[in-house]
Structure formats: structure tokens, C-alpha cells
Amino acid sequence: MSHQVSIVGQITPDQVPVIAENGFKTIINNRPDGEEPGQPTSADIAAAAKKAGVAYKEISFAGSDLNQTHVEDFADFFNQAEQPVLIFCRSGARSTGIYEAAKKMDLLDD
């Protein structure tokens, strides 16, 4: 597999510069805002990503609400994204699910 992907749990805006320093070029967020108190907002992480020169995309969904549109949107963005890519949600499980679904449906470029 030629993809350079890391899947992690929730990140914070202050972690984005370190993520960039570690060579990541793109961040994909699969977690909707407001799932729990104190959770960083997508807008705050997007602003930190922009400042750090990292591409950012939110493709969020509740854990059990993954659908074809989410997978297609994810694959469309992922295929154009500069790698390596960091994908996150609350625990990493949802992000693993969408990535694996896109692979299983053969939507990801090699």
C-alpha cells in the first residue's frame, strides 16, 4: 500500500504545529463538534492547520451514521490530499472505519 496514513484519537489545536513538524501534510477530521464538553472545535483545528501550512478537511459523522456519501467524500478528498495524512476522531475507531470502507469499496487510489 502506498498510502501514508496515521489514525489517532482527538487532537487539539496546540498539537497541530507538532503534527506539521512531524511531516504530516493533511489532517482529516471525522468527529462532529459538540460530542463532549471541552472538545476542540473543527474551526479551531482548521485555523491551527492553516497557520501551520497543513491541509484540513472535516468529514464528520456520528459513530453509527457512516454512509456512502461520507465514504465517497472521504475518498475524493483523500485521493487529492498531499501525504502523509493524519486522520482523527474521538478514539480512532470511526476514522479506521471510514478508511477501511473506502479501501473495501476500491475508492482509494494506489
Side-chain angles (χ1 to χ4, degrees):
M1 180 174 73
S2 61
H3 303 151
Q4 297 174 304
V5 176
S6 290
I7 297 174
V8 298
Q10 180 69 58
I11 64 169
T12 60
D14 62 334
Q15 292 173 317
V16 172
V18 175
I19 290 166
E21 288 169 14
N22 283 312
F24 288 95
K25 305 295 185 192
T26 303
I27 296 172
I28 301 175
N29 173 10
N30 297 134
R31 188 175 191 199
D33 284 347
E35 283 192 324
E36 65 184 39
Q39 172 188 337
T41 66
S42 180
D44 289 344
I45 298 169
K50 184 175 182 178
K51 186 174 180 182
V54 175
Y56 178 85
K57 176 79 170 173
E58 179 186 354
I59 304 171
S60 61
F61 56 97
S64 61
D65 291 341
L66 179 61
N67 63 41
Q68 182 77 24
T69 301
H70 295 128
V71 177
E72 290 172 358
D73 289 349
F74 174 85
D76 288 346
F77 181 76
F78 184 90
N79 288 334
Q80 303 300 317
E82 188 175 356
Q83 295 190 25
V85 177
L86 181 83
I87 310 169
F88 80 91
C89 59
R90 186 188 65 77
S91 69
R94 179 177 355 198
S95 296
T96 298
I98 196 169
Y99 178 73
E100 292 298 327
K103 280 187 2 183
K104 186 179 285 188
M105 296 166 68
D106 201 27
L107 297 175
L108 301 182
D109 297 342
D110 289 330

